[in-house]
């Protein structure tokens, strides 16, 4: 927590959680056992839950968001992308409190026929709370970017040609894909509520990110999403200012998966060794690799040859 | 894994690429089930003829290290055995050196037998 405003951001993340917790004692005796928690398009309540259960669920989600905020602050320190993660935690905390306040006040207003109406704004404001948190967390004073440390080039003879490629696998993502596919099949079979579009999201993510091919050669660095062969990222050799072999701390790069933060982008599959490419336009791109030294040495050699 | 070919070397380019695949499997950089780069792509980035890469892949397939499937590319076989591959590689070197020295099959086999402790 080497940034003075991070503690303030943490407090802001917890604020909606406090609201959720504090409103229960004043509202609980006036709330029915089962309260409206879902509304249809016409504005009439069509879903009901146990009041205490619903409150507990919203509170727990808020607490999880608050704890996540603390973990992010401690783990990422003042790292670059942590501002957005803190904002996301704030949005989660805010929106759960918003859902609770909107549902509870609607039920309190007219227990017989609770109407959501404008109270939807509580939820929207809760989501917007994330932006407030991100704003307060602030950006790091733009540090002078150190030049990429030199990597020893691969010893390529003038008559030699070389290319490097590897396949990245994300076992967790593939497992989630499989689990989601099974879930979709089960839901479709029992004909339950149409939640399958939600479950389809991990399947699509799995198809895109489940297997990735990373290549380094005379074209530069390329990332191609394996199963559908979608090109994710191409950095031509002429745009490479330098390469760096380093340990990738996911929270410093904005989390896991394909992350874009201002001035930087990264494909982070896990914590561990990775390759960072410094581009001539000042942007940086990182990818986690088991053996980042070989592509780093190759790109350096190819760059020296072309330059 | 790294593919490197030397256009000035005496060894044919296809043999060089085949040797790289073998080396990758031996060093464990290519595990069973891993896919090799598409032949067309590898030919493009190494600036060699597509048929050179296809010849190299076919050679490694004939050694029962990879399988080639139309439309699915080249994949390291599940039964590709790095330990056995290392032995085959040593035997290849032994036979090559013995031939250069003018030895016949019987003499080579005799040497193998003598090598036993």
């Amino acid at each position: 927590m080497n940034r003075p405003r991070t503690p303030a951001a943490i407090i802001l993340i917890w604020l909606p959680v406090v609201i959720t917790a504090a409103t229960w004692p004043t509202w609980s005796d006036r709330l029915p056992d089962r309260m409206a928690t879902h509304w249809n398009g016409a504005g009439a309540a069509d879903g009901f839950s146990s009041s205490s259960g619903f409150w507990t669920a919203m509170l727990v989600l808020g607490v999880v968001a608050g704890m996540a905020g603390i973990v992010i602050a401690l783990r990422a320190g003042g790292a670059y992308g942590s501002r957005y993660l803190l904002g996301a935690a704030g949005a989660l905390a805010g929106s759960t409190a918003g859902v609770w306040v909107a549902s509870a006040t609607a039920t309190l207003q007219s227990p017989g026929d609770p109407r959501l109406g404008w109270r939807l704004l509580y939820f929207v404001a809760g989501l917007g709370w994330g932006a407030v948190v991100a704003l307060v967390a602030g950006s790091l004073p733009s540090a002078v970017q150190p030049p990429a440390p030199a990597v020893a080039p691969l010893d390529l003879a003038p008559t030699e040609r070389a290319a490097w490629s590897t396949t990245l696998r994300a076992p967790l993502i593939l497992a989630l894909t499989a689990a989601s596919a099974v879930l979709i099949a089960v839901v479709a079979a029992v004909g339950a509520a149409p939640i399958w579009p939600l479950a389809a999201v991990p399947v699509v993510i799995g198809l895109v990110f489940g297997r990735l091919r990373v290549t380094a050669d005379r074209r530069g660095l390329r990332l191609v999403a394996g199963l559908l062969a979608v090109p994710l990222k191409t950095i031509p050799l002429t745009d490479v200012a330098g390469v760096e072999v380093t340990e990738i701390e996911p929270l410093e790069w904005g989390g896991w998966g394909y992350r874009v933060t201002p001035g930087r982008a990264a494909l982070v599959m896990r914590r561990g060794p990775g390759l960072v490419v410094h581009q001539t336009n000042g942007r940086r791109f990182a990818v986690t690799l088991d053996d980042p030294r070989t592509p780093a040495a190759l790109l350096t050699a190819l760059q020296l040859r072309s330059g | 894994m790294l593919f490197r070919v030397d256009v000035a070397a005496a060894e044919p380019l296809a043999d060089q690429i085949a040797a790289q695949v073998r080396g990758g499997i031996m060093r464990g950089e290519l595990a069973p089930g891993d896919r090799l780069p598409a032949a067309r792509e590898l030919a493009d980035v190494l600036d060699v003829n597509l048929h050179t890469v296809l010849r190299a892949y076919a050679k490694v397939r004939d050694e029962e290290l990879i399988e080639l499937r139309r439309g699915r590319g080249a994949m390291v076989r599940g039964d590709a055995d790095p330990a056995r591959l290392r032995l085959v590689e040593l035997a290849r070197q032994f036979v090559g050196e013995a031939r250069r020295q003018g030895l016949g099959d019987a003499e080579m086999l005799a040497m193998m037998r003598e090598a036993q402790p």
Side-chain angles (χ1 to χ4, degrees):
Chain A
M1 265 199 238
N2 54 6
R3 201 181 336 171
R5 289 198 289 179
T6 304
I10 299 288
I11 292 170
L12 288 182
I13 293 173
W14 278 94
L15 200 64
V17 187
V18 172
I19 291 174
T20 306
T23 48
W24 177 253
T26 51
W27 290 349
S28 58
D29 49 346
R30 287 189 288 144
L31 281 172
D33 281 349
R34 296 182 68 77
M35 59 184 278
T37 52
H38 193 268
W39 281 264
N40 64 19
D46 65 353
F48 296 84
S49 310
S50 140
S51 295
S52 59
F54 184 62
W55 173 77
T56 310
M58 291 303 120
L59 185 68
V60 166
L61 277 176
V63 169
V64 167
M67 298 306 289
I70 292 175
V71 170
I72 291 161
L74 291 178
R75 288 304 295 270
Y80 205 87
S82 60
R83 167 187 199 180
Y84 301 94
L85 290 172
L86 289 172
L92 177 60
S95 55
T96 53
V99 167
W100 161 248
V101 171
S103 308
T105 53
T107 303
L108 289 172
Q109 177 76 32
S110 49
D113 177 27
R115 292 272 161 174
L116 189 60
W118 60 269
R119 292 189 180 83
L120 188 64
L121 291 179
Y122 280 125
F123 171 70
V124 176
L127 272 183
W129 192 244
V132 176
V133 171
L135 207 66
V136 167
S139 54
L140 273 185
S142 56
V144 179
Q145 216 180 77
V151 172
L154 193 74
D155 57 330
L156 273 185
T159 53
E160 267 190 303
R161 295 161 188 174
W164 179 89
S165 88
T166 194
T167 306
L168 298 182
R169 283 187 215 77
L172 185 68
I173 292 178
L174 284 177
L176 278 177
T177 305
S180 306
V182 170
L183 184 69
I184 290 175
V186 169
V187 169
V190 298
I195 63 149
W196 65 268
L198 210 63
V201 172
V203 173
V204 172
I205 291 175
L207 286 177
V208 174
F209 288 104
R211 202 182 60 216
L212 289 145
R213 195 152 196 102
V214 184
T215 60
D217 46 51
R218 61 178 185 144
R219 299 172 303 188
L221 183 78
R222 285 163 62 109
L223 244 76
V224 178
L227 297 180
L228 299 176
V230 184
L232 283 184
K233 181 86 182 175
T234 304
I235 303 175
L237 206 52
T238 49
D239 288 0
V240 176
V243 290
E244 183 188 347
V245 171
T246 184
E247 286 291 308
I248 304 279
E249 167 61 50
L251 289 180
E252 281 175 20
W253 291 86
W256 284 261
Y258 194 86
R259 319 302 303 190
V260 179
T261 44
R264 321 200 302 174
L267 181 77
V268 179
M269 302 297 237
R270 50 156 173 71
R271 169 176 298 119
L275 175 74
V276 180
V277 176
H278 296 248
Q279 293 167 248
T280 47
N281 60 10
R283 291 182 60 84
R284 280 187 283 170
F285 179 77
V287 56
T288 52
L289 297 169
D290 287 338
D291 167 34
R293 280 168 209 291
T294 311
L298 175 60
L299 284 174
T300 307
L302 291 175
Q303 199 196 353
L304 287 175
R305 178 186 282 182
S306 68
Chain B
M1 65 162 292
L2 184 69
F3 288 87
R4 56 197 293 180
V5 295
D6 190 342
V7 289
E11 194 183 8
L13 287 174
D15 290 359
Q16 291 185 40
I17 295 170
Q20 306 276 318
V21 176
R22 249 180 254 126
I25 296 173
M26 256 193 287
R27 289 188 298 272
E29 289 170 23
L30 288 174
D34 277 356
R35 266 157 213 274
L36 299 180
R40 191 175 298 278
E41 191 184 355
L42 189 61
D44 176 35
V45 294
L46 291 178
D47 203 8
V48 300
N49 194 296
L50 170 63
H51 295 285
T52 306
V53 178
L54 288 175
R55 211 160 43 240
Y57 280 7
K59 198 173 163 74
V60 194
R61 178 202 52 203
D62 293 346
E63 293 166 12
E64 303 187 339
L65 294 172
I66 65 169
E67 50 190 324
L68 292 176
R69 291 217 197 116
R70 193 166 292 277
R72 295 198 56 205
M75 194 195 274
V76 179
R77 281 174 58 148
D79 57 356
D81 182 353
R84 185 175 183 281
L85 184 53
R86 255 191 298 277
L87 281 180
V88 172
E89 201 57 32
L90 283 173
R92 214 187 293 269
Q93 285 174 18
F94 172 78
V95 172
E97 181 61 25
R99 287 255 184 278
R100 255 192 300 283
Q101 295 186 17
L103 299 188
D105 289 359
E107 282 160 301
M108 277 189 250
L109 284 174
M111 277 183 173
M112 289 278 201
R113 242 173 254 119
E114 276 170 39
Q116 281 177 3

